[in-house]
Each structure stands twice: as C-alpha cells, then as structure tokens.
Amino acid sequence: MTSMTAAPQMTPRSAAYETGRASHSGRADRFWRELGYLLAGLPIGIAAFVVAVTGVAVGAASFAVVLGLPVLAGALAAARFFARGERARVAAVTGRPVPEPRYRKAAGSGLGRMLSALKDPQSWRDLGHMLVAFPLRVVSFSLALTWTLGAVGELLYITWSWALPRDGGEGGLLDLMFGISSRAADIGFHTGIGVVLALTAVPVLHGLTALQTGTARALLTNPASSYSR
C-alpha cells in the first residue's frame, strides 16, 4: 500500500508575506547598488576628467605643430574606453542594457588615420561626457555619503554624544540654535534628524542615480546614427 503526501498549499497570508519579503529585498539590493554606483563614480570621474582636460589642453595647444594630433587622438581613444565602462556601470545599476553606439571606423594609416579618428562625432560626445559628468559625480558623491553616514550618525547620536565638548555650558546644536539646553531634547532632536535622513535616503539616492544614468544615456548612446564607412 503506497502512501502519498500532498504538497503543502501556500495560504494567501503566506503568499503575501513572501511577496513583501521579495519586494523588500529588491529595494534593499537597489539601494546598495545605487550607493555603490554613486560612491565609485567620484574616483572614476576624477581620472576621466584629468585625462580629458589634459588631452584637450595639450592637444589643442600643440595641434599647429602636428604634435597635438596624436594627443587628441589618444584622448578620444581614452574617452571611448571610459564610455564603455560607464555604459556597463549604468546597465548594472539600472538593470537595463545600454545600447552600444556606432563609431566611425578610422581609415588610412599614420597621420591620416589619426585625422579620421578626430571626425567621429560619438567619440567627441564620449569626451564631453567625461567633462560634464565630473561635477555631477562630485555632488552626487558628497550628497550620498552625507545622507547615508549622516543618517547612521544621527540615529546613533545617543551613543557618542557624550564625547562632544561642552565648553561654556553649551548643550549642543539645539542649544546653539534655539537656546534649549535639555540633554533629552538634544538627543531627540538629533535622532529626529537621523530618522528624516534615513527615510529620505532611498529617494535621494535614486534621484541622483537617475540624473547620472540619464546623462550617460543621453551622451554615450546613439543607436540610430549611422556613419559612412
């Protein structure tokens, strides 16, 4: 005689719980992806900005004596390299692929090939992104770091506020702003700031990420373009 055990049926309550847990996990994953994207953007942006400014400045200054031609061509090649990396970062943080643009194929050899490379509009757009994205990355890095660390620091204010100097009978920020010297009020004030920062961290980071990824998609993609070969 064979006994069969029926598979347990998921109740509506358990199904809703699993759905909510999956949604929460997805939001947490997106938060950490966006935070990593914004923080990593600053060192990448510094390197890209230095390469772009140096390449354009040196190349333009010495273009008349031909020496600037390989410098400008090298700057555009570096721009394409940085653009490829940024398209991969945007795809990773947004979960949506970034179309690969069509570049003009360099023709000829030697100086002729370098001149041909300078005629590629998309390479110049890539170079423009290296310059435009830098201030966005600086601001985004600063805000993302301030918002997240500020939220943690303010929420834990009660654990470290004792170490703050209280010279002259000052009771902290609340005392300086409103003349309230209550220790409990000071802790409550800072904890409230931490709560506000924590509750707004997700939309703030999402908005900063959308600004950067939108700029990248606008400058680093041109799937509809076609160049003469």
Side-chain angles (χ1 to χ4, degrees):
M1 187 172 181
T2 304
S3 61
M4 299 181 62
T5 303
Q9 298 295 321
M10 182 173 290
T11 64
R13 179 177 296 181
S14 60
Y17 171 77
E18 290 297 330
T19 301
R21 186 171 65 173
S23 176
H24 177 75
S25 176
R27 288 194 297 268
D29 289 343
R30 189 185 74 174
F31 172 82
W32 290 113
R33 284 201 313 270
E34 292 179 346
L35 180 60
Y37 173 80
L38 295 173
L39 296 183
L42 182 61
I44 295 174
I46 292 174
F49 185 77
V50 170
V51 170
V53 171
T54 303
V56 171
V58 174
S62 55
F63 190 81
V65 293
V66 188
L67 295 177
L69 184 57
V71 175
L72 285 176
L76 292 181
R80 291 175 64 167
F81 170 79
F82 279 103
R84 189 179 303 112
E86 185 60 20
R87 283 190 291 268
R89 290 195 336 118
V90 171
V93 74
T94 61
R96 295 185 291 117
V98 181
E100 184 77 18
R102 297 184 62 182
Y103 291 94
R104 183 190 297 271
K105 186 177 181 180
S109 59
L111 293 179
R113 187 177 183 85
M114 294 181 187
L115 282 173
S116 177
L118 297 185
K119 297 177 182 178
D120 180 19
Q122 182 55 46
S123 294
W124 287 103
R125 286 162 62 89
D126 295 345
L127 186 67
H129 178 265
M130 296 166 72
L131 300 174
V132 171
F134 178 66
L136 296 179
R137 285 167 167 165
V138 171
V139 172
S140 297
F141 177 91
S142 302
L143 288 178
L145 196 63
T146 300
W147 229 271
T148 52
L149 293 184
V152 174
E154 291 291 75
L155 288 174
L156 298 178
Y157 179 76
I158 190 174
T159 66
W160 57 268
S161 60
W162 60 268
L164 295 176
R166 306 287 179 178
D167 297 335
E170 295 177 353
L173 181 61
L174 191 63
D175 187 17
L176 293 175
M177 294 175 60
F178 305 107
I180 301 174
S181 58
S182 169
R183 169 76 170 161
D186 182 59
I187 293 175
F189 176 71
H190 283 275
T191 303
I193 293 176
V195 170
V196 172
L197 291 176
L199 291 177
T200 56
V202 171
V204 167
L205 263 62
H206 187 63
L208 294 173
T209 300
L211 177 62
Q212 282 200 39
T213 57
T215 302
R217 288 183 183 274
L219 292 176
L220 303 182
T221 63
N222 59 346
S225 67
S226 60
Y227 303 131
S228 58
R229 302 281 175 162

